[in-house]
Amino acid sequence: AQTVTQSQPEMSVQEAETVTLSCTYDTSENNYYLFWYKQPPSRQMILVIRQEAYKQQNATENRFSVNFQKAAKSFSLKISDSQLGDTAMYFCASRDIQGAQKLVFGQGTRLTINP
Amino acid sequence: DVKVTQSSRYLVKRTGEKVFLECVQDMDHENMFWYRQDPGLGLRLIYFSYDVKMKEKGDIPEGYSVSREKKERFSLILESASTNQTSMYLCASSFRGTIQIGEQFFGPGTRLTVL
């Protein structure tokens, strides 16, 4: 069974700083997808960024980028030039390409951006 | 604009009551999911459905049932609510198939309190 672990329950940085959220996962599959979701306070969960395991190039979406280390089963999220609106719970998730298309989530990291 | 809606944002019920949580999506997605979110545990899958009248147990189905009579609607039922079912409940939907990466779109959540 897949497992996803986020070892940082909470993080706090100053506005404009760069922050990295950690995520490790375990799967027996060779092809899978990895996701970072953001849940702002009292708002809906939204997708931040996704990575296909068969792609070696790290995904990037504006200020958000990932460091995908397949051999180490590590999938960290880097937020550059952090903004107050980045304050949220961040969840790492994985999904097999085949079979049931359910996501397995980590425990979440509460990120606070301070002015 | 894609949308997943849930019938209530906040719900307070008594122990032993039958509780219905409704979820509706307007994206013609085949897959629908029910999660519960608890601090330190992340999101855990209760049930999911990949087609009308189809359902699959997730990781924590005990004490819950589901119904999917129409493609756009997925209901979560607590047959006899208990205090340990106090939680945030999130509904999500996604396209089926491996061509689409299967990003899940989430509703705003229902915070259920069982007294």
Side-chain angles (χ1 to χ4, degrees):
Chain A
Q2 289 181 304
T3 59
V4 177
T5 302
Q6 294 177 249
S7 58
Q8 305 154 310
E10 293 188 21
M11 296 187 73
S12 178
V13 298
Q14 297 298 120
E15 195 175 4
E17 289 184 347
T18 294
V19 59
T20 299
L21 309 183
S22 301
C23 173
T24 58
Y25 61 92
D26 192 17
T27 178
S28 57
E29 301 294 323
N30 192 46
N31 288 324
Y32 48 89
Y33 300 119
L34 297 167
F35 305 85
W36 278 98
Y37 279 87
K38 170 185 177 182
Q39 187 181 41
S42 301
R43 293 177 61 187
Q44 281 169 255
M45 185 113 65
I46 57 172
L47 179 68
V48 175
I49 198 166
R50 62 177 152 226
Q51 174 81 41
E52 291 101 313
Y54 54 87
K55 290 187 178 179
Q56 293 187 349
Q57 187 171 8
N58 288 324
T60 300
E61 289 286 343
N62 300 314
R63 298 182 295 107
F64 298 87
S65 61
V66 299
N67 182 6
F68 173 48
Q69 303 285 334
K70 191 172 184 180
K73 295 184 178 176
S74 170
F75 183 61
S76 60
L77 174 70
K78 185 172 85 170
I79 306 174
S80 303
D81 186 27
S82 57
Q83 301 175 358
L84 297 180
D86 296 333
T87 292
M89 282 290 290
Y90 286 82
F91 292 96
C92 178
S94 70
R95 205 215 95 179
D96 286 343
I97 290 180
Q98 301 296 335
Q101 295 172 1
K102 55 182 182 176
L103 293 175
V104 175
F105 285 86
Q107 301 89 336
T109 297
R110 183 177 302 278
L111 175 65
T112 301
I113 310 298
N114 298 307
Chain B
D1 197 19
V2 298
K3 190 171 267 189
V4 180
T5 57
Q6 295 183 227
S7 51
S8 305
R9 288 302 302 270
Y10 299 95
L11 209 53
V12 180
K13 296 292 182 181
R14 297 275 179 198
T15 301
E17 279 193 79
K18 190 169 186 176
V19 182
F20 292 88
L21 302 183
E22 304 284 334
C23 175
V24 178
Q25 51 95 3
D26 65 358
M27 296 164 282
D28 201 35
H29 285 164
E30 296 90 355
N31 298 330
M32 295 189 75
F33 307 83
W34 275 107
Y35 297 90
R36 65 177 281 175
Q37 180 181 358
D38 299 290
L41 297 178
L43 277 71
R44 293 178 292 165
L45 182 65
I46 304 171
Y47 267 98
F48 66 101
S49 169
Y50 52 87
D51 204 347
V52 176
K53 297 191 185 294
M54 306 300 288
K55 60 183 179 183
E56 294 274 348
K57 291 181 179 180
D59 300 316
I60 52 165
E62 298 77 18
Y64 304 94
S65 62
V66 291
S67 173
R68 191 155 181 214
E69 297 296 320
K70 293 184 177 181
K71 189 176 185 180
E72 67 272 16
R73 188 180 298 270
F74 192 35
S75 302
L76 180 68
I77 304 155
L78 287 67
E79 294 289 343
S80 178
S82 63
T83 55
N84 62 12
Q85 292 178 310
T86 292
S87 186
M88 171 71 86
Y89 290 87
L90 296 177
C91 175
S93 69
S94 71
F95 284 114
R96 190 170 69 207
T98 57
I99 294 177
Q100 297 93 0
I101 288 179
E103 172 191 351
Q104 291 188 13
F105 295 85
F106 285 83
T110 296
R111 186 166 294 282
L112 173 67
T113 301
V114 183
L115 302 176

